[in-house]
Amino acid sequence: MKPPYLPNDPETLYQPEQPLDWSTRTLHPLPPVFEALPFGSIRPKGWLLAQLKRDLHEGFVGVMDRIVPTIFADDLFNRDRRSRLRDSAETGSSWSDEGIWADVEMKWWNAETQGNWWDGFLRTALLSGDPDALRKAEAWVESILQSQDEDGYLGVYAPDLRFRHEAENGELWALATVGRALLAWAQARDEDRVLQAVIRATDCAMQQSLRKEYHLFAVREPWGGITHNLMLTDVLISLHRLTGEERFSRYALEMFRQFSEHPTRNDDLCLCHLADCKRPFYKHGAHVYEHLRVLLHAWRLSGFGDLASAWDQALEKLHSCLSLSGGGIGFEDICGAEAHPETTPMEMCSIAELQFSLTEALFALGNSAFGDQVERCLFNAGFGQRSPDQKGLTYLRSDTQWQLDSREPDGTPNPRFKLSPAHQDCAVCCAPNSAKALPYYIGAMAGLDAEGIVLLLHGPCEVRAVWKGVPVTLSVETDYPFKDILHITVECQQPVGFSLKVRIPKGANPAASIPGVVKEDYLVLRVQGTRTSIELSFGFQPVWQRNRDGSSSAAWGNLVFAAPIQSRLDSLKEHPVPGFADYHAFPVLPAKTLRRASSEPELRIETSPLSLESNPWAEPPVWMKTALLAEGKPTAVALIPLAASVLRQAHFEKDLV
């Protein structure tokens, strides 16, 4: 399916809208409800730490550069910068030398693949403490710093092209992908020289792109790079937080102004389109979901009421795009569709970008529902794109997936519907984004507010913060989301008092055993002295949840459960790294559609101990027992976490009889 794009006639497609002038408006910045902690302040423990180590040593996350070596041999930030004066390297996509992709300015693609993977790998190394991975990450950081020009330029274009673009390009997108990674390294390792390198690179980009004759989005033949460029906002917001310098926030606002002033290819989040309440999201899902946080930041940086209304309108449109697993749909384009468990697939890039935008919304606005959406998105849709052994993932798939055979739900051939660690025959984008998902989640598990420390996203971790000059260590022991009990220990180097807030997840029963005061879905506890210990039980109960299509899905807390379909894997292609291949997946036996009886069948939760040596997605420590109808006959069924299966039925309609 393809969206009804605007005509390709430049005279109709690229004419600017009425100029959007904000120069006379007064800014009234709105501070975030929660303050983010520097990356590295939150360390994973338990199964989260084991998962990161498994990703490095068993999964595709640790070997992406060896799986697609030609892409990573492209030194496009240094000696292979794009220029019309020489040939450029392989881009790693199936359409890299066709049509407009033959233009050298289009060949920014490897910056996305490399930058996003290094971002995920680097953060995984920092959080896991793996010495070999840390050495590898540090060598990459040094190579990027050495590629920086004297004027601060850090990017993929030679002087004959940089900031002279009249067509599609990835100028600022390339800087965004490596800038995010470098800022994580600078914070975790407290390396000011790395921070200063990103500041110099960003200042260079701002100075060059703010020339009067240069417009960021008014170009011919725009493709994905032009509107990915808007994601330099991620770097700008981080620099604003780290330095307090308003020039970074002002430029982020200017980028969104230009984007809204000149609608282009992936423009669903332009103000003119958001104002049309009858116009659903159409364009590329990853762009739509990443642009959500650009709009959010523009509103919070300006305080403009019309941007607040635009944010509300964006959330209203987003609602119809959310799958039962918490991901955002897209074929890669959304095409104006509404989420359906079987017929509207999701792209891994869309899932990751949605997770990151929802996380920003949680910190900016404080609404606990965003925390539930982040957890649901990662633990179901995000891990659900991966194979349980973590050696591959699907580029596209639906919540209910009967087979993976390079075909869309309607039978249309599409090679994105398979398991692969790279998907180089399509584009090497989803695997690198998947590598980022868990480290980004861990980095956002806690924050600060005016009263103390806040636990925002749940799982085993250790949080190190400073409150009124006193170092504080907060340790969380839990198997969440596979268990619903948290053991929290707070240790302060000196006696100090503050509030500890704990987000109460959806489906929790506060009456079960939660102490303290509940305020707006946050449990508020008072910490005093040098050591405090707390045990919380969320008291989850298994429930049937209604989906948009009228079917139901089973959930326990923020985990969605599905009926696994026993599958066989047929190898399609071996990769350079032993043990990694592309696969189709087929049911061993013809799958029987399971249905619910006229009344909701009982769900019974069962658990087993979670061993750190085991993979919770391959050997789930929690499951549900229920009775469903198979061809009209009552059948005992064990439902497992959706992400613990390759093929599965995740939605259940009522029996027709």
Side-chain angles (χ1 to χ4, degrees):
M1 296 177 63
K2 297 296 180 186
Y5 284 128
L6 297 172
N8 281 327
D9 178 3
E11 293 301 316
T12 59
L13 181 55
Y14 306 119
Q15 285 298 311
E17 298 290 310
Q18 183 176 353
L20 190 62
D21 185 4
W22 290 347
S23 61
T24 60
R25 301 181 71 175
T26 302
L27 302 183
H28 298 284
L30 303 170
V33 173
F34 302 126
E35 177 187 342
L37 293 168
F39 186 79
S41 301
I42 306 166
R43 297 289 177 145
K45 299 174 66 176
W47 82 267
L48 287 179
L49 178 58
Q51 178 69 43
L52 291 178
K53 291 181 177 179
R54 188 177 300 112
D55 283 348
L56 285 175
H57 298 293
E58 301 176 25
F60 62 84
V61 173
V63 292
M64 179 61 60
D65 55 335
R66 294 165 52 203
I67 289 174
V68 283
T70 54
I71 293 177
F72 284 86
D74 178 12
D75 191 13
L76 77 168
F77 283 91
N78 198 351
R79 67 175 185 272
D80 294 330
R81 283 176 173 170
R82 303 317 190 218
S83 170
R84 296 200 184 280
L85 305 179
R86 59 176 177 270
D87 293 335
S88 56
E90 179 180 341
T91 62
S93 59
S94 58
W95 19 263
S96 58
D97 294 314
E98 300 176 5
I100 60 173
W101 280 94
D103 192 303
V104 68
E105 290 184 77
M106 297 285 289
K107 297 196 175 184
W108 49 263
W109 190 272
N110 285 354
E112 176 180 326
T113 300
Q114 291 186 19
N116 278 342
W117 178 73
W118 278 113
D119 190 9
F121 179 88
L122 175 150
R123 291 173 191 258
T124 300
L126 288 167
L127 294 175
S128 68
D130 184 89
D132 291 336
L134 283 169
R135 282 191 290 270
K136 185 173 179 177
E138 185 172 24
W140 174 79
V141 170
E142 293 300 327
S143 71
I144 292 295
L145 295 185
Q146 291 172 14
S147 75
Q148 190 167 30
D149 291 354
E150 289 187 8
D151 65 354
Y153 182 79
L154 200 164
V156 300
Y157 292 104
D160 65 305
L161 286 177
R162 70 182 61 155
F163 299 111
R164 300 174 184 272
H165 309 288
E166 297 179 356
E168 162 69 12
N169 68 86
E171 183 75 80
L172 301 182
W173 177 226
L175 175 57
T177 63
V178 297
R180 294 183 294 214
L182 292 175
L183 288 176
W185 185 269
Q187 293 174 76
R189 300 291 285 253
D190 195 23
E191 290 197 26
D192 185 65
R193 68 189 183 98
V194 179
L195 172 61
Q196 294 304 319
V198 179
I199 290 174
R200 290 178 58 230
T202 307
D203 280 336
C204 175
M206 292 192 299
Q207 180 181 7
Q208 292 295 325
S209 61
L210 284 175
R211 301 194 314 271
K212 185 176 181 180
E213 70 277 8
Y214 191 85
H215 195 289
L216 292 170
F217 304 103
V219 300
R220 57 179 172 80
E221 297 182 320
W223 202 260
I226 279 295
T227 38
H228 274 320
N229 283 339
L230 192 57
M231 297 319 298
L232 185 63
T233 297
D234 287 340
V235 174
L236 294 163
I237 295 301
S238 293
L239 289 177
H240 177 60
R241 289 170 178 165
L242 292 170
T243 68
E245 294 288 339
E246 289 190 0
R247 68 182 187 275
F248 300 118
S249 58
R250 293 294 182 98
Y251 186 72
L253 191 57
E254 172 61 15
M255 289 185 74
F256 183 72
R257 187 197 67 79
Q258 289 195 30
F259 173 68
S260 283
E261 181 180 66
H262 203 290
T264 184
R265 186 177 177 89
N266 292 297
D267 55 5
D268 281 340
L269 270 291
C270 284
L271 293 178
C272 61
H273 294 327
L274 289 173
D276 183 355
C277 61
K278 295 182 179 180
R279 185 186 191 276
F281 290 149
Y282 277 105
K283 306 298 182 66
H284 183 221
H287 283 82
V288 170
Y289 303 129
E290 70 185 11
H291 291 169
L292 284 171
R293 61 186 181 272
V294 178
L295 168 62
L296 172 68
H297 290 309
W299 163 35
R300 305 302 288 183
L301 291 171
S302 66
F304 294 165
D306 52 337
L307 297 192
S309 298
W311 170 254
D312 290 340
Q313 194 62 250
L315 291 185
E316 182 67 25
K317 297 183 181 188
L318 174 65
H319 180 68
S320 64
C321 299
L322 296 179
S323 71
L324 67 86
S325 63
I329 63 169
F331 288 76
E332 299 177 14
D333 302 303
I334 298 174
C335 310
E338 292 190 0
H340 185 280
E342 191 172 355
T343 62
T344 54
M346 296 167 288
E347 179 188 353
M348 182 61 230
C349 288
S350 292
I351 293 168
E353 295 300 346
L354 177 61
Q355 175 195 326
F356 306 152
S357 290
L358 292 172
T359 302
E360 290 295 317
L362 175 62
F363 276 81
L365 306 178
N367 188 331
S368 66
F370 290 120
D372 289 315
Q373 289 180 297
V374 171
E375 291 183 358
R376 197 175 182 95
C377 185
L378 174 65
F379 294 138
N380 301 292
F383 277 107
Q385 295 290 107
R386 294 185 178 193
S387 57
D389 64 6
Q390 313 300 299
K391 291 185 178 295
L393 78 164
T394 50
Y395 192 122
L396 290 175
R397 73 174 304 152
S398 301
D399 287 325
T400 289
Q401 193 73 49
W402 302 103
Q403 60 188 34
L404 289 166
D405 59 351
S406 294
R407 293 183 182 276
E408 295 181 6
D410 64 0
T412 303
N414 190 331
R416 293 163 177 80
F417 286 83
K418 65 175 180 297
L419 289 167
S420 172
H423 289 278
Q424 191 172 5
D425 56 336
C426 304
V428 188
C429 55
C430 286
N433 251 333
S434 179
K436 294 167 52 180
L438 185 56
Y440 271 66
Y441 178 91
I442 293 169
M445 292 176 73
L448 302 175
D449 70 1
E451 299 173 339
I453 300 174
V454 188
L455 285 178
L456 294 163
L457 302 172
H458 297 310
C461 67
E462 181 179 274
V463 181
R464 296 185 178 182
V466 176
W467 184 256
K468 295 186 176 179
V470 178
V472 177
T473 300
L474 187 152
S475 179
V476 181
E477 304 287 343
T478 181
D479 291 332
Y480 189 95
F482 308 107
K483 303 290 172 65
D484 61 354
I485 297 176
L486 274 59
H487 299 272
I488 303 172
T489 302
V490 183
E491 295 182 318
C492 310
Q493 288 191 6
Q494 301 174 24
V496 67
F498 58 88
S499 291
L500 171 63
K501 295 186 178 72
V502 182
R503 194 193 104 253
I504 301 175
K506 180 181 179 181
N509 177 13
S513 65
I514 297 182
V517 177
V518 176
K519 183 179 180 181
E520 297 180 344
D521 293 326
Y522 287 89
L523 174 67
V524 183
L525 304 156
R526 189 64 187 170
V527 174
Q528 295 284 359
T530 58
R531 182 180 174 87
T532 303
S533 295
I534 305 159
E535 178 176 313
L536 304 179
S537 174
F538 291 131
F540 293 143
Q541 296 295 319
V543 296
W544 289 103
Q545 296 183 346
R546 183 62 60 90
N547 302 319
R548 294 184 63 85
D549 67 315
S551 67
S552 293
S553 55
W556 183 73
N558 282 318
L559 276 183
V560 177
F561 288 69
I565 300 171
Q566 187 179 3
S567 59
R568 76 168 197 272
L569 300 180
D570 291 356
S571 179
L572 303 172
K573 169 187 175 181
E574 298 290 331
H575 287 280
V577 181
F580 291 87
D582 290 0
Y583 294 99
H584 280 159
F586 297 95
V588 173
L589 298 172
K592 296 180 180 180
T593 300
L594 299 172
R595 296 181 179 275
R596 296 176 290 113
S598 56
S599 59
E600 300 287 12
E602 179 186 2
L603 294 168
R604 187 174 72 255
I605 201 78
E606 296 188 2
T607 65
S608 63
L610 174 58
S611 167
L612 296 185
E613 286 71 41
S614 65
N615 175 356
W617 306 112
E619 303 175 60
V622 60
W623 60 94
M624 287 183 186
K625 293 288 186 67
T626 191
L628 296 170
L629 301 178
E631 298 180 341
K633 298 178 180 179
T635 305
V637 177
L639 306 178
I640 64 175
L642 179 148
S645 57
V646 175
L647 304 179
R648 65 243 181 175
Q649 182 182 345
H651 74 300
F652 305 94
E653 298 176 347
K654 283 188 178 181
D655 191 46
L656 299 178
V657 178

